[in-house]
Amino acid sequence: MARNERDAATAAPDAFSGGNKRDTPPFEVTAKVALADNQLRRNLGKATQAIRDKREAAAGEMPDWEELREAGSAIKTRVMRHLDEYLVQLEDSVRRAGGTVHWARDAEEANGIVAGIARENIGEEGTREVVKVKSIATDEIKLNEHLEKEGIHAAETDLAELIIQLAGEGSSHILVPAIHKNRAEIRELFMRELGLGDLSDEPEVLAEAARIYLRRKFLSAKVGVSGANFAVAETGTVCVVESEGNGRMCTTLPDTLVTVMGIEKIIPEWRDFEVFMQTLPRSSTAERMNPYTSFWTGVSEDDGPREFHLVLLDNGRTEVLADEIGRQSLNCIRCSACLNSCPVYDRVGGHAYNSVYPGPIGAILTPQLAGIGSSPGADSLPYASSLCGACYEVCPVKINIPEVLIHLRGKVVRNKQDNGGAKAKLDPENVAMQTLAKTFSDPRLYEASQRAALVGQWPLARSGAIHSLPGRLAGWTSARDLAPVPEQSFRRWWREERGGAER
Amino acid sequence: MNAREEILSRIRRATDDVPQGERPGDVAVERGYRHADGSSREEIISRFAETVAEYRATVHRVDGDELPEAIAEALARRGVQRLAVPADLPSDWLPDGIEALRDAADSPLSKESLDGSDGVLTGCALGIAQTGTIVLDAGALQGRRVLTLLPDYHLCVVRGDQVHGLVPEAITALGEVVRDTGRAVTFISGPSATSDIELERVEGVHGPRTLEVLIAG
Ligand code: SF4
């Protein structure tokens, strides 16, 4: 593949950047480029298969997994319905604990707040640098680029983030952003960029190189920047879940800590951790518990930063909240299980989504945050799915991603209709989506149609995928393959396993 | 309108489908998951020892009165000379011939001296058997967070009666500390690790690369 073609497909994500949206290429276009990249497919296939198997074991070990998913979903639903109250409560709790709370309507406002705090606390002498722990919210607002413009370097400290920052690329996976790079590529990059001389391509040697390089930065940093996995309205406690220890470094060592969090990251009570600290690690890294989790409540005397700033970010989230079906997308705890379970993601990788939120969750979140009709790229994402439902089955907070996808497809088509002519009104996809949307929102109809599909699909399925649908739906499958309906749906299997107890 | 007011009013508009009179508590949260591990104390402690060891941390079980000896042996095996310790660590935990760097409130250890130490010895707030997790809350025998962050080796003493069965039991116990003192809490499950390079697990990127646990009593 031509070098420049590859670059276009892997350019930093730009699906939405608060106010100055730029057109992104549609998913079909970037997906084709990604599909042609054999190295990427090999790296990715190996990785997602391994995580999928491990996750299943980690969740399977829990006899109360479904109850935990149910509780997680209910807690998040409660938060979204009363988000205003919880945010005010959080603000109050953080202030009482000695922190400062800022509100940011969009990316620009948030970037300005962080830059201001950094400028004030970074000191005159020394490097104009902040240390940063991986955070998707700060990727979303392009904080690093903004700080760079202000003459402040944001040093990414996750190994994977360091790798892609050095490579000048965007992340391809929420959890393992450098999943598309193999050890030889990383060795080459480190030797070129870190100036540490000859290295072998052993992961241990490469990790050691990163440790030495970053330790110097941690010890001298004045300002740390982080995201948040959760923030507790009741106590004001903020939580960062991680593996490497760089999160602890960034939130403990600098004198000043700035945390940027989406307003949806709130949980009502400290007690709610009993749910999420069970479901998040098992769903994401497929471990019983991730190596490190930090919880801090404002500032503590003599322990950690002297100043703590919490930036509450909207940047399109209230738009998502306004859509009663789309609202559940905000329940996401960014575990990435849906990415690993997705047959489409598995083949095209994260860059094809042209967003900081790739995979199934990105396919629903990105177009909503950017706004339907804002760009062909965002509008194409609800179609980046075969609707097989695997994402829904693994989601630890039970986001019905297929339902939202179909709902959004309807919105995309309706938007085209409103801005297009009579031709769009008869678009077969629009008609089909309206029916499907109804089906997905009713569990009984959904199962009935799954059974019908199982019986009806055999003449269509060839080599494990459905390549063409008859009649009115033909236009839909001409551009994408459908995964066949599994012989036994999860819902059915579950009911049989649990002796018919419907929940 | 300032940002705060505007975001709050956007939220209120976005959720105008929620009935006026609905309170947050009206949205039911069924907590039908397990809340306590009914196993015996001995079972819970051995499960803890197993789950911690599965993260490739080193685990030893010792009788309470053998603790100082076990500490001395662990430090000797590791060749520790300069050992960082919290201010309130009992002196009989410290073997002869070790240079103790005490992190006292009036003379805190610098980042550099912690970075240059050979290891750190602490107690903990509690342990979680279900997940093999050690929890620090900056309380007794633990000190500041930075103590267990910069040294490359962490030797941690967990008393048998500090081990809880399930995550919910630990969260309940920690709720008091968080609400009453606001102290920071850290969960540690095995040594620092990454799987960023071809998903191959590598121990120790930034935190202590070796975690050794002594379960006492
Ligand atoms: S949508 Fe669900 S499965 Fe996907 S990242 Fe979010 S919480 Fe995880």
Side-chain angles (χ1 to χ4, degrees):
Chain A
M1 160 186 12
R3 182 73 210 156
N4 54 356
E5 206 180 343
R6 170 75 207 271
D7 286 347
T10 56
D14 204 349
F16 42 88
S17 44
N20 51 45
K21 283 158 197 145
R22 203 190 67 189
D23 276 3
T24 52
F27 180 79
E28 311 84 272
V29 175
T30 39
K32 282 224 172 70
V33 179
L35 278 170
D37 187 336
N38 287 327
Q39 181 65 57
L40 170 74
R41 291 183 65 181
R42 254 198 308 278
N43 291 357
L44 198 69
K46 185 174 156 192
T48 50
Q49 180 64 48
I51 306 183
R52 257 200 314 272
D53 295 347
K54 264 185 82 185
R55 190 213 68 90
E56 235 172 85
E61 181 181 284
M62 302 283 287
D64 51 354
W65 188 247
E66 285 309 307
E67 285 82 357
L68 287 164
R69 287 179 74 213
E70 200 62 67
S73 166
I75 291 168
K76 284 300 207 171
T77 302
R78 176 187 282 185
V79 168
M80 296 320 149
R81 291 173 76 86
H82 298 278
L83 190 55
D84 53 337
E85 260 181 71
Y86 283 124
L87 280 170
V88 171
Q89 193 190 359
L90 175 71
E91 177 185 45
D92 194 48
S93 305
V94 171
R95 284 207 181 127
R96 263 186 290 128
T100 309
V101 177
H102 310 258
W103 301 69
R105 279 167 279 216
D106 54 26
E108 203 184 316
E109 203 161 18
N111 286 333
I113 293 165
V114 180
I117 298 166
R119 257 198 317 270
E120 221 166 273
N121 293 284
I122 220 161
E124 281 312 310
E125 63 315 338
T127 45
R128 294 183 61 78
E129 187 169 79
V130 300
V131 286
K132 194 163 163 280
V133 54
K134 169 188 153 71
S135 135
I136 317 174
T138 55
D139 284 352
E140 175 191 320
I141 60 174
K142 294 181 184 299
L143 176 67
N144 295 8
E145 284 172 35
H146 182 86
L147 290 177
E148 215 68 57
K149 270 188 224 137
E150 305 250 338
I152 299 165
H153 177 65
E156 291 289 358
T157 59
D158 283 77
L159 182 51
E161 291 290 323
L162 175 70
I163 293 167
I164 62 169
Q165 191 176 48
L166 292 174
E169 288 177 7
S171 154
S172 67
H173 190 286
I174 296 180
L175 190 73
V176 273
I179 201 169
H180 59 293
K181 287 232 173 301
N182 67 19
R183 60 181 76 191
E185 294 171 305
I186 296 167
R187 167 178 179 264
E188 218 173 275
L189 185 68
F190 275 15
M191 285 181 44
R192 198 172 63 231
E193 303 287 335
L194 300 188
L196 291 171
D198 199 23
L199 299 169
S200 82
D201 67 358
E202 282 303 302
E204 254 162 64
V205 172
L206 297 171
E208 167 83 21
R211 179 186 175 98
I212 295 168
Y213 173 77
L214 289 168
R215 178 66 62 117
R216 286 197 298 263
K217 291 192 187 291
F218 285 131
L219 290 178
S220 60
K222 294 270 189 295
V223 177
V225 177
S226 85
N229 288 92
F230 305 98
V232 185
E234 173 203 10
T235 57
T237 309
V238 178
C239 164
V240 164
V241 173
E242 49 130 359
S243 292
E244 294 174 12
N246 60 316
R248 292 179 71 195
M249 296 269 177
C250 287
T251 59
T252 308
L253 293 176
D255 295 332
T256 304
L257 171 62
V258 191
T259 299
V260 180
M261 69 168 247
I263 50 175
E264 82 283 14
K265 287 301 176 78
I266 229 167
I267 58 176
E269 304 170 75
W270 169 262
R271 165 179 199 191
D272 296 321
F273 281 124
E274 62 187 33
V275 175
F276 297 113
M277 287 315 295
Q278 296 197 72
T279 50
L280 177 57
R282 286 175 201 261
S283 300
S284 61
T285 49
E287 291 167 297
R288 294 192 178 109
M289 194 64 89
N290 52 290
Y292 296 130
T293 303
S294 301
F295 306 84
W296 67 94
T297 307
V299 289
S300 312
E301 214 178 323
D302 303 326
D303 184 8
R306 284 196 290 267
E307 254 185 58
F308 170 57
H309 297 268
L310 182 63
V311 182
L312 302 172
L313 174 73
D314 180 350
N315 205 36
R317 285 162 177 76
T318 43
E319 292 291 324
V320 186
L321 190 68
D323 183 325
E324 283 177 49
I325 293 175
R327 180 179 296 162
Q328 56 184 309
S329 322
L330 297 175
N331 295 2
C332 176
I333 55 172
R334 312 271 189 268
C335 72
S336 77
C338 59
L339 279 65
N340 302 321
S341 74
C342 177
V344 175
Y345 175 83
D346 201 34
R347 284 166 187 76
V348 301
H351 290 313
Y353 295 80
N354 281 299
S355 163
V356 292
Y357 302 101
I361 180 62
I364 60 172
L365 199 53
T366 306
Q368 295 188 85
L369 286 172
I372 297 289
S374 66
S375 84
D379 280 5
S380 72
L381 287 175
Y383 296 90
S385 165
S386 65
L387 300 177
C388 73
C391 48
Y392 182 27
E393 280 169 19
V394 297
C395 178
V397 285
K398 297 187 81 166
I399 301 173
N400 191 335
I401 296 176
E403 180 195 17
V404 182
L405 282 168
I406 289 164
H407 171 68
L408 294 178
R409 287 178 188 184
K411 276 183 119 172
V412 168
V413 177
R414 267 194 303 283
N415 176 65
K416 277 193 203 139
Q417 264 173 3
D418 293 346
N419 301 306
K423 195 167 152 267
K425 289 215 172 50
L426 297 172
D427 188 324
E429 187 155 77
N430 186 25
V431 179
M433 284 309 141
Q434 308 293 338
T435 318
L436 276 176
K438 225 192 269 152
T439 311
F440 267 88
S441 53
D442 179 332
R444 245 181 298 270
L445 266 180
Y446 176 63
E447 284 186 53
S449 69
Q450 261 196 338
R451 277 195 302 276
L454 192 57
V455 177
Q457 77 178 354
W458 64 268
L460 310 168
R462 282 196 314 269
S463 62
I466 300 174
H467 297 281
S468 59
L469 283 174
R472 298 207 298 183
L473 293 173
W476 186 34
T477 44
S478 63
R480 51 194 77 80
D481 289 347
L482 275 173
V485 179
E487 290 202 7
Q488 189 183 31
S489 76
F490 178 78
R491 293 176 67 89
R492 231 169 91 192
W493 170 84
W494 181 252
R495 233 189 1 245
E496 278 159 24
E497 285 292 296
R498 288 294 163 117
E502 187 65 271
R503 57 198 67 230
Chain B
M1 219 180 333
N2 67 24
R4 179 182 189 276
E5 291 317 311
E6 189 168 337
I7 292 172
L8 288 173
S9 84
R10 285 178 188 172
I11 293 170
R12 283 170 197 140
R13 263 200 316 275
T15 52
D16 63 4
D17 59 302
V18 175
Q20 275 282 298
E22 182 182 296
R23 304 299 312 132
D26 296 339
V27 184
V29 175
E30 294 266 355
R31 297 181 191 264
Y33 46 85
R34 294 173 296 165
H35 290 273
D37 185 336
S39 317
S40 72
R41 188 102 299 265
E42 177 47 36
E43 279 170 333
I44 289 174
I45 297 174
S46 10
R47 187 165 321 127
F48 177 68
E50 273 164 39
T51 48
V52 173
E54 276 178 36
Y55 294 120
R56 296 183 219 171
T58 316
V59 184
H60 314 268
R61 290 193 64 177
V62 296
D63 280 344
D65 48 6
E66 291 166 10
L67 185 60
E69 205 179 310
I71 291 171
E73 278 167 21
L75 295 175
R77 261 196 312 274
R78 171 83 187 179
V80 172
Q81 300 287 319
R82 295 160 52 82
L83 179 72
V85 297
D88 59 346
L89 197 94
S91 353
D92 66 346
W93 283 19
L94 281 173
D96 294 335
I98 293 258
E99 184 191 345
L101 311 170
R102 256 184 212 277
D103 186 51
D106 48 359
S107 57
L109 295 170
S110 70
K111 290 175 196 170
E112 288 68 26
S113 65
L114 281 167
D115 189 38
S117 73
D118 300 322
V120 59
L121 168 64
T122 70
C124 71
L126 55 90
I128 310 173
Q130 182 191 5
T131 55
T133 302
I134 289 163
V135 179
L136 305 179
D137 68 359
L141 311 182
Q142 301 158 63
R144 304 181 290 149
R145 282 177 281 174
V146 67
L147 241 64
T148 52
L149 186 54
L150 292 174
D152 203 10
Y153 168 75
H154 182 192
L155 179 60
C156 185
V157 176
V158 183
R159 286 196 327 267
D161 62 7
Q162 288 182 307
V163 181
H164 292 251
L166 301 179
V167 170
E169 298 170 72
I171 296 292
T172 305
L174 292 164
E176 250 167 74
V177 175
V178 171
R179 270 183 286 261
D180 298 349
T181 71
R183 289 201 307 255
V185 172
T186 307
F187 281 21
I188 298 174
S189 308
S192 155
T194 183
S195 303
D196 281 343
I197 301 170
E198 295 185 11
L199 293 183
E200 193 167 298
R201 190 178 163 103
V202 174
E203 249 92 75
V205 193
H206 299 300
R209 277 183 283 198
T210 307
L211 173 66
E212 191 160 358
V213 179
L214 299 176
I215 305 172

